[in-house]
Amino acid sequence: MGVHPPFHDCSPLPLPAGHLPALRTQDEGTISKPQQIITHLRKQKYNADYDLSATQSADTLAFVSLLEEKLLPVLIHTFWVDAKNYVEHTRKWYAETIPFPLNFFLPNAMHKRHLERLQLMWGDDYMEDEEKLEKELYREARECLTLLSQRLGSQKFFFGDSPASLDALVFSRLAPLLKAKLPNGKLQQHLKSLQNLCNYCTSILSLYFPWDRGDPLTGAPRAAGTDGSEAEEDPHKRRKQLLSVLVGLAAMLGYAFLSGIVSIQRGSVGPAGRQPVTLEEEEEEEEE
Amino acid sequence: MCNLPIRVICRANAEYMSPSGKVPFIHVGNQVVSELGPIVQFVKAKGHSLSDGLDEVQKAEMKAYMELVNNMLLTAELYLQWCDDVTVEEITHPRYGSPYPWPLNRILSYQKQWEVRRKMKAIGWAGKTLEQVLEDVDQCCQALSQRLGTQPYFFNKQPTELDALVFGHLFTILTTQLITDELSEKVKNYSNLTAFCRRIEQQYFEGHDKDSCTVSVQSSKKSSLLK
């Protein structure tokens, strides 16, 4: 924390395989896996864990595992697989932010990918039995949140007064859950009941994301509304316009050919085209 | 560790007997409970628990370390057994299929291999090389070693569920013979971890028959006792 790369719109184009998060660097192109991003930043001498003791580093590894195993799959389920949340919130949110024409395909593709991943991790038992899922997996996720709250206690960050990579990870998982307007928000309710975690997220938001006052998740549409900075905020605007025009043109031409309005006749046009030229040549010869 | 009377029985179809398809599981009266988490809850409901003396922060840390072991050690063990081609051909297929006649032995072991590889792909481990997996094991052992320090158990004087889980995995890694010793060497690099295993083995398992099986968390294979 303390690195301030400029944040623009969150379009997955032209990111590798459409994955977020992604870091665009000057020397190494675009890096998309979180671990690779952390390694790159450490090479540039940005290391949030520099001051941690050996035990604290070990604790970091352990809590990261806890988050990834117990909380992350349930978060994915909440945002991407739970029917109500997906249709009313997530799909709409991504479709508004992703540029045309990918906004028709990408949210569904991501939904399928997440569903498949959860099916493999949890097995069909849990995916089909809503009650079992709710009872066991959501309970474990709620327990994970409670454990995080107990570990944080009344401290400002997990390891004292300055943030470390664990804080970044916890914040990245909790902030969307806290701020998103989910129609079906069981897990969200539990998070909101843990006051110290809510204060923790809010303080990090105000410290490190001050340009996103209020709801950070409506950032993209709001940015598009500000005049004068549109060109700076959207370097792909030209390309989007060109793409739209090309797609429109291709559609019109395609329709024209298919419906027979325009047709290419190779046999007659060729010789007919040449005839006037040959007549002129003969006239010239005659004149000479 | 809770001093409850148990009998360990090895069965080839243990995975199929288990209600969730995973080992270990316990059979108490007319109830069958599988996997470490539910077993701990079950035993706690009957009034026995190893972690009652811990405060809230320590309980959180214990759960986190247990997840770390499951995430890294268990997955690395599965990877080595089912995704490393040499190990699969020479050790895993013969061992997994040994209770069954041909062709069932080959069919069942290929089926299991396919299932494990699919899961590896889902969690992103399919693309890892053996070196990367061993590196992860090393990181995990380093974290465990740092947490253990010079204490006899992870939470000082009394063993907890974490100690039991770590012992189960490390003991299996140290005593199971594979093609190379790379995996067990990673653990042996940390002397406090090997001392920890030896201490628990002496305290809780000496005096049992040399041929009996020790409880392992991921499969029903036999393992030889540490000499």
Side-chain angles (χ1 to χ4, degrees):
Chain A
M1 278 166 158
V3 180
H4 290 291
F7 286 98
H8 297 300
D9 69 306
C10 311
S11 69
L13 279 181
L15 305 174
H19 282 128
L20 289 170
L23 183 70
R24 206 172 276 141
T25 64
Q26 282 172 337
D27 314 314
E28 294 174 33
T30 312
I31 314 175
S32 75
K33 290 206 176 115
Q35 198 48 51
Q36 288 174 355
I37 295 178
I38 292 175
T39 314
H40 173 82
L41 287 172
R42 283 187 182 177
K43 278 193 213 157
Q44 310 290 324
K45 313 256 194 273
Y46 292 106
N47 186 352
D49 292 344
Y50 194 70
D51 292 324
L52 294 185
S53 70
T55 315
Q56 286 172 328
S57 299
D59 284 350
T60 301
L61 211 57
F63 277 97
V64 165
S65 291
L66 183 69
L67 277 175
E68 303 297 283
E69 284 292 307
K70 295 288 177 194
L71 188 62
L72 180 61
V74 177
L75 279 180
I76 292 177
H77 185 272
T78 303
F79 278 92
W80 287 97
V81 180
D82 181 282
K84 214 167 170 199
N85 284 344
Y86 172 61
V87 169
E88 290 178 32
H89 174 265
T90 317
R91 191 169 66 182
K92 225 168 54 168
W93 174 35
Y94 272 76
E96 277 166 12
T97 329
I98 298 174
F100 175 85
L102 284 175
N103 57 340
F104 290 115
F105 312 110
L106 217 51
N108 268 334
M110 289 168 86
H111 163 76
K112 278 198 187 116
R113 200 168 62 203
H114 286 304
L115 186 61
E116 210 182 86
R117 182 175 162 185
L118 289 184
Q119 251 161 0
L120 280 172
M121 277 174 75
W122 288 343
D124 287 326
D125 266 354
Y126 285 110
M127 298 307 287
E128 279 156 25
D129 189 348
E130 281 280 338
E131 213 186 293
K132 198 172 173 190
L133 184 86
E134 161 70 33
K135 210 173 118 191
E136 292 178 20
L137 299 171
Y138 270 79
R139 185 181 49 85
E140 284 181 358
R142 285 194 286 267
E143 201 190 332
C144 176
L145 290 174
T146 315
L147 290 172
L148 284 173
S149 172
Q150 282 162 356
R151 179 67 178 79
L152 180 66
S154 53
Q155 295 173 112
K156 197 168 171 207
F157 297 105
F158 276 95
F159 297 117
D161 285 331
S162 58
S165 59
L166 181 63
D167 298 284
L169 184 71
V170 171
F171 172 75
S172 71
R173 300 289 178 230
L174 297 187
L177 183 64
L178 187 65
K179 295 289 186 179
K181 294 182 175 54
L182 294 172
N184 197 0
K186 294 171 286 211
L187 197 59
Q188 194 177 46
Q189 295 303 328
H190 186 77
L191 176 59
K192 287 186 177 166
S193 72
L194 298 165
Q195 202 49 46
N196 64 343
L197 286 181
C198 295
N199 294 342
Y200 171 76
C201 289
T202 327
S203 77
I204 292 183
L205 264 174
S206 59
L207 271 174
Y208 296 103
F209 298 93
W211 57 85
D212 276 335
R213 299 224 176 276
D215 192 351
L217 299 171
T218 56
R222 270 193 303 128
T226 55
D227 298 323
S229 54
E230 269 184 29
E232 283 172 20
E233 288 182 8
D234 194 351
H236 305 300
K237 194 177 172 188
R238 253 308 149 235
R239 197 181 57 195
K240 283 182 202 172
Q241 285 172 338
L242 192 62
L243 203 62
S244 314
V245 167
L246 282 174
V247 169
L249 209 59
M252 284 194 298
L253 285 172
Y255 177 71
F257 280 119
L258 286 172
S259 60
I261 296 173
V262 174
S263 60
I264 301 176
Q265 292 168 326
R266 290 180 202 272
S268 49
V269 170
R274 270 185 255 131
Q275 272 175 9
V277 177
T278 50
L279 280 172
E280 279 171 42
E281 283 178 357
E282 281 170 48
E283 281 169 25
E284 283 174 7
E285 285 173 7
E286 281 169 21
E287 281 173 8
E288 285 170 15
Chain B
M1 286 176 179
C2 289
N3 287 324
L4 297 169
I6 56 158
R7 214 161 42 109
V8 181
I9 303 171
C10 289
R11 287 272 188 276
N13 58 341
E15 281 179 309
Y16 302 104
M17 284 203 282
S18 156
S20 69
K22 294 193 180 150
V23 285
F25 67 89
I26 57 172
H27 181 199
V28 179
N30 59 355
Q31 282 180 293
V32 181
V33 184
S34 67
E35 296 185 66
L36 184 63
I39 292 176
V40 167
Q41 294 294 331
F42 179 81
V43 170
K44 196 170 175 180
K46 303 284 181 191
H48 298 273
S49 172
L50 290 174
S51 49
D52 278 341
L54 300 182
D55 64 38
E56 298 297 344
V57 175
Q58 285 177 315
K59 277 194 184 149
E61 285 177 0
M62 184 184 85
K63 290 258 158 80
Y65 275 94
M66 284 172 80
E67 277 316 314
L68 175 68
V69 170
N70 274 333
N71 197 5
M72 292 237 176
L73 285 185
L74 174 58
T75 320
E77 287 160 12
L78 283 174
Y79 179 95
L80 200 60
Q81 281 186 80
W82 295 102
C83 300
D84 178 44
D85 295 322
V86 178
T87 313
V88 165
E89 260 319 302
E90 297 201 18
I91 298 203
T92 316
H93 276 323
R95 190 166 59 187
Y96 192 80
S98 62
Y100 309 105
W102 188 89
L104 197 58
N105 56 351
R106 293 304 267 182
I107 295 173
L108 287 178
S109 58
Y110 274 118
Q111 191 183 44
K112 178 76 180 172
Q113 183 181 6
W114 183 74
E115 205 182 287
V116 171
R117 285 195 178 185
R118 264 180 84 207
K119 240 185 210 163
M120 290 290 153
K121 206 170 156 196
I123 57 175
W125 277 58
K128 288 197 179 187
T129 61
L130 187 61
E131 282 71 34
Q132 284 170 321
V133 170
L134 291 173
E135 186 52 48
D136 286 341
V137 170
D138 189 49
Q139 244 188 355
C140 179
C141 289
Q142 190 182 32
L144 289 171
S145 175
Q146 279 162 356
R147 189 68 181 83
L148 181 64
T150 50
Q151 300 170 123
Y153 300 107
F154 279 94
F155 291 97
N156 210 4
K157 300 214 175 62
Q158 295 301 323
T160 57
E161 288 90 8
L162 176 62
D163 299 277
L165 182 65
V166 171
F167 171 74
H169 279 284
L170 293 186
F171 187 76
T172 311
I173 290 176
L174 288 169
T175 57
T176 306
Q177 276 202 308
L178 294 171
I179 308 282
T180 62
D181 285 331
E182 284 172 316
L183 190 59
S184 55
E185 286 304 314
K186 290 288 175 195
V187 178
K188 286 181 189 165
N189 281 337
Y190 300 95
S191 56
N192 62 345
L193 291 180
T194 42
F196 168 81
C197 289
R198 216 170 284 263
R199 193 180 319 120
I200 293 197
E201 197 208 353
Q202 278 166 358
Q203 201 168 351
Y204 295 100
F205 292 97
E206 298 278 81
H208 284 214
D209 291 339
K210 289 252 184 264
D211 291 335
S212 69
C213 306
T214 54
V215 179
S216 72
V217 190
Q218 89 275 15
S219 79
S220 57
K221 64 182 191 300
K222 288 187 182 148
S223 54
S224 56
L225 290 175
L226 195 64
K227 295 210 167 43

